[in-house]
Amino acid sequence: MSKALVSKQTWNHFLENEALPLQETGLSSDIIESWHYCRRHQVNPYDGIADRILDPKLLEQKMKKNKLLLDLAKPHIRQLQNFLKGWKYITTLTDRDGYILQQDGEKTVKNAAYKIYFKEGAKWDEIEVGTNAIGLALRLKKPITVKGYEHFSIASQEWNCTAAPIFDQYDEVIGALNISSLYHSINYDYVLASVKLAADSISLEWKNQKQEDMEVLMRTRFGSEQNCIVSSINDEICSLPMELLPGYQEYVGATLTTLSEETDIQLSNFRTPILNENRIIGYRTPVTIPGHDDDSVVFKGLKGTSEKFHSVLSQVEKVAVKDTPVYIYGETGTGKDLVAQAIHDNSKRSNGPFLTVNCGAVPEGLLESELFGYESGSFTGANNKGHRGKFQQADGGTLFLDEIEEMSSSMQVALLRALQQKEITRIGGSNLIRVNIRIITASNRDIRQLVKQGKFREDLFYRIYVFPIQIPPLKERKEDIIHFIRDYLQRKKWMPSWHKRLEKIFMQGEWRGNVRELYNALERCEILYADKEPNDRDLFQLVSSLEPVQVENSNTEVSTYKEQLEINRIKKALAKCNGKVSDATEELSMSKATLYRKLKKYNI
């Protein structure tokens, strides 16, 4: 039951004697404590009209900062109208500091509130206006009702107010929801329960929304293409650039300030907002990593730390600004498509289209229409509107022809003509169509050998082989393996305690499928061992998808697997070098004495 209303005499007695009458029982301990609190802070009991009011610009900034709180509160404030139908009141929503963000309700009540500057932009806490429901709810972190003369200052003593705090995901107060009226309620307990229910619902929705925001920040690769830290709106670190893991992993969950103060990592003063449904949920902050220079090449793919990889990027940087035809050579899985994309992204054509055609994947009979297009009705099954080929679609941009060596002789002639004349003719058409494109080609075979063998036209070769870029296989840039492993673990938000063992064992693989095979093995590893720890034998079995390590029995020791891998490497090197030990030493990157010792050890 609600307690009896406090009388004006009780209030006067407290002001005159700094104490309460002995017979006073109508005041709660919270109200008594608040009166003493106001007295200690020298609040004027004969005033209570707000004088700390934000100007319109600052209020707008406050409301923008608290947009989520305002949006979440709207439906619950509307629902309160149904709960409290027939009672004249206003609803008030404040931020954590007591500034009124939004106020609405019955017009006459709202006009009365305006007279004491109980309005949007005003700061409504105990130190400003004396004991009141909003100030107490924020400071004591609990719902409360303050009626009539329970208010410390006279400006509010005509009012009856009920407020409840709103909490964030850390159970910190972020605001208060309040109901105020000049009229007595028939049931203050019901009003208190209604306001508390609304505030609790807003708190729950806030926590759910923040959880969703965090999941968006955690699962999206906002920082993967650059050296950027992804943080929440409260500067809590959600993810770090791959280069900073695992050395700085303990700072995930800490603040940017903590990272900056405790490490030598330099944070940029500029950061990019991350939006979710037009609401800022976090930021991308560029960082300077100790010992790393910023890359000047936009490269939307897997980066590496090896000198050979950076040599490729250096070539990309030099040729991208030209319109020179580029030929990319590399084994399957080395990322030829990524290099082609990087050339386009760093060129003057970067705002134009980038289209890819895999010449080996398109049937020979369809490749011509795929590249040059066709007119309506030019063959059975043709689109009745005709078709614009990739040459037309790529106009103003770049056309990347992968597996160029698979192109037939007749198509090579057609391609040569298009490159020479810079114009094409659609199948079934007669009109010449001018095109302005840059051509990049690629192959996983040495096209020079194909020319010598008469399998590729020499005149076309000289058209496309102007600036060759060779992408080294992964076995020639093994220092990048750990880089790629950590990139995978970072993107998957999966950092098992045994990742060091994983790196050590995977470093020993040949990876003939290059980066693609490495990532396939990592994906298999994550599926198999997401919730358990593999032994070394399990990890060695993942190293090669073509030739898994065979073991004679389950008791074989770890060293056997390492030795078996080494035996396989030596045998392949010898076979490749026709049994010549001196040539095999170069292939294996070991001295002749070491190789002879291993041949004897393994009885090869």
Side-chain angles (χ1 to χ4, degrees), residues 139-338:
R139 185 168 64 85
L140 301 181
K141 300 183 179 181
K142 67 179 186 180
I144 195 165
T145 296
V146 179
K147 305 184 293 290
Y149 285 102
E150 291 179 342
H151 291 92
F152 184 76
S153 298
I154 60 174
S156 299
Q157 288 177 348
E158 294 181 359
W159 293 83
N160 302 298
C161 308
T162 298
I166 301 169
F167 298 95
D168 66 9
Q169 67 274 28
Y170 306 109
D171 289 327
E172 296 291 336
V173 175
I174 54 173
L177 179 62
N178 173 77
I179 282 186
S180 296
S181 177
L182 292 168
Y183 306 92
H184 294 302
S185 169
I186 57 174
N187 190 336
Y188 283 109
D189 290 337
Y190 177 74
V191 174
L192 181 65
S194 299
V195 175
K196 182 179 184 303
L197 176 62
D200 288 348
S201 298
I202 297 169
S203 300
L204 179 60
E205 290 187 14
W206 175 283
K207 292 174 184 177
N208 292 337
Q209 186 61 63
K210 286 299 180 179
Q211 179 64 31
E212 179 185 317
D213 291 347
M214 189 62 70
E215 289 174 359
V216 170
L217 293 173
M218 295 292 285
R219 70 172 176 255
T220 310
R221 296 183 61 194
F222 291 109
S224 62
E225 293 178 4
Q226 301 177 27
N227 289 332
C228 288
I229 292 176
V230 175
S231 62
S232 70
I233 197 168
N234 296 320
D235 285 347
E236 179 183 346
I237 296 173
C238 302
S239 66
L240 296 168
M242 186 273 297
E243 288 85 350
L244 293 182
L245 287 175
Y248 297 85
Q249 188 181 8
E250 68 269 20
Y251 287 97
V252 174
T255 64
L256 289 172
T257 301
T258 301
L259 179 70
S260 180
E261 290 176 349
E262 296 183 1
T263 70
D264 54 355
I265 295 171
Q266 299 177 14
L267 303 177
S268 172
N269 293 327
F270 301 96
R271 56 184 187 172
T272 305
I274 299 171
L275 301 179
N276 185 21
E277 297 180 352
N278 295 320
R279 181 172 47 81
I280 297 176
I281 64 171
Y283 298 94
R284 294 170 67 247
T285 304
V287 296
T288 300
I289 299 173
H292 287 69
D293 295 326
D294 292 335
D295 291 326
S296 57
V297 178
V298 177
F299 189 77
K300 297 178 180 177
L302 297 171
K303 291 192 176 184
T305 58
S306 66
E307 289 186 10
K308 289 191 175 182
F309 177 79
H310 281 275
S311 174
V312 170
L313 287 188
S314 176
Q315 294 177 68
V316 168
E317 182 179 15
K318 291 174 181 176
V319 76
V321 295
K322 309 290 184 181
D323 250 358
T324 305
V326 177
Y327 170 78
I328 304 170
Y329 167 66
E331 296 178 3
T332 299
T334 51
K336 297 185 290 295
D337 55 335
L338 298 177

Side-chain angles (χ1 to χ4, degrees), residues 38 205 243 372 424 450 485 499:
C38 292
E205 290 187 14
E243 288 85 350
F372 305 127
I424 61 168
L450 297 179
I485 291 173
H499 69 273

Side-chain angles (χ1 to χ4, degrees), residues 497-602:
S497 59
W498 39 270
H499 69 273
K500 288 289 186 182
R501 251 186 335 114
L502 170 67
E503 294 171 1
K504 183 177 180 181
I505 291 173
F506 273 37
M507 279 287 287
Q508 300 179 46
E510 291 192 22
W511 307 115
R512 284 184 285 172
N514 291 293
V515 179
R516 189 176 301 138
E517 184 191 2
L518 172 63
Y519 271 71
N520 289 343
L522 288 169
E523 186 170 354
R524 291 197 300 274
C525 185
E526 182 187 11
I527 293 171
L528 293 171
Y529 305 111
D531 54 0
K532 63 179 180 179
E533 181 173 347
N535 56 38
D536 285 6
R537 174 187 179 184
D538 296 327
L539 294 176
F540 273 113
Q541 293 291 338
L542 293 170
V543 166
S544 176
S545 57
L546 288 176
E547 296 183 11
V549 178
Q550 299 297 323
V551 296
E552 295 179 359
N553 59 68
S554 58
N555 295 321
T556 307
E557 299 205 4
V558 170
S559 60
T560 302
Y561 300 99
K562 298 178 181 178
E563 291 173 354
Q564 187 63 53
L565 284 173
E566 190 167 50
I567 290 170
N568 291 342
R569 288 183 60 230
I570 293 173
K571 285 183 176 180
K572 288 172 185 173
L574 288 171
K576 184 177 180 180
C577 299
N578 298 318
K580 294 181 179 180
V581 173
S582 57
D583 292 344
T585 56
E586 295 183 11
E587 181 73 18
L588 295 166
S589 299
M590 64 175 65
S591 68
K592 189 179 293 185
T594 300
L595 179 54
Y596 274 119
R597 188 176 70 252
K598 291 184 181 294
L599 291 174
K600 182 178 180 181
K601 175 183 177 181
Y602 299 133

